[in-house]
Amino acid sequence: LAAFIGAFIAGLVLEHTGYSKPVEKNFEGLTALFAPLFFVSAGALFELSVFSRFDLYPIIGALTAVAFIGKFAAGIGAFGQNVRKRIVGIGMVPRGEIGLIFASFGLSAGLIAKDMHSALLFVIIVTTFAGPLLLGILFRDKNMRREYQNKTQE
């Protein structure tokens, strides 16, 4: 995890130096190559047998609920004059790549079992697909869409 945290901190530092765009441009090729490989390799570790383990259903349900509530609650912390907290919260729901990194690390380090890793991957998949669906439902509401458009025009 030290490399992950170090890369995150380096990104934060670079953002304020003016070098972030050149560095980002230099790494586009590596990102295009390795990001899909990471996601494919993480997905390949998913075991469909997790669905036959009824004892994991409560854990999967609890993890899914915690993921939704925690990410939605992040919207409450959003601040600014024209911020729509509910939209921000729902927009945070599909953010699962960090969870995927931690789950993969936990599996490779022997900290979590393969069935728990698959349960976590399932939660990540559900939240990844649910976020855009929920945003679509939210913006189908004409009052919400009108309110959002009015706020962005102010």
Side-chain angles (χ1 to χ4, degrees):
L1 291 178
F4 169 71
I5 294 170
F8 177 75
I9 292 171
L12 290 175
V13 171
L14 279 174
E15 182 65 30
H16 299 290
T17 64
Y19 292 109
S20 64
K21 294 294 180 198
V23 169
E24 193 174 309
K25 185 132 181 82
N26 288 334
F27 280 92
E28 281 178 352
L30 289 174
T31 301
L33 174 67
F34 288 112
L37 288 175
F38 169 74
F39 288 109
V40 167
S41 66
L45 296 172
F46 183 77
E47 290 189 6
L48 288 174
S49 64
V50 74
F51 295 115
S52 66
R53 298 269 317 271
F54 295 110
D55 59 319
L56 291 177
Y57 284 18
I59 294 169
I60 291 171
L63 289 172
T64 304
V66 167
F68 271 95
I69 292 167
K71 293 173 182 182
F72 185 75
I76 295 169
F79 54 89
Q81 192 171 6
N82 293 324
V83 173
R84 306 305 313 157
K85 294 177 184 260
R86 190 167 41 159
I87 293 170
V88 172
I90 292 173
M92 293 294 291
V93 169
R95 305 298 303 173
E97 61 275 359
I98 302 302
L100 188 58
I101 291 168
F102 279 101
S104 296
F105 173 78
L107 180 66
S108 67
L111 299 173
I112 60 172
K114 198 152 175 92
D115 58 351
M116 186 55 64
H117 179 263
S118 293
L120 289 169
L121 287 182
F122 179 76
V123 171
I124 292 166
I125 291 166
V126 167
T127 57
T128 298
F129 285 106
L133 292 172
L134 291 172
L135 282 172
I137 291 168
L138 187 65
F139 279 107
R140 274 191 212 123
D141 178 15
K142 291 179 184 175
N143 292 330
M144 174 59 93
R145 189 171 46 234
R146 191 177 311 114
E147 181 183 337
Y148 178 74
Q149 289 170 342
N150 291 339
K151 287 289 187 181
T152 56
Q153 292 173 357
E154 293 176 357

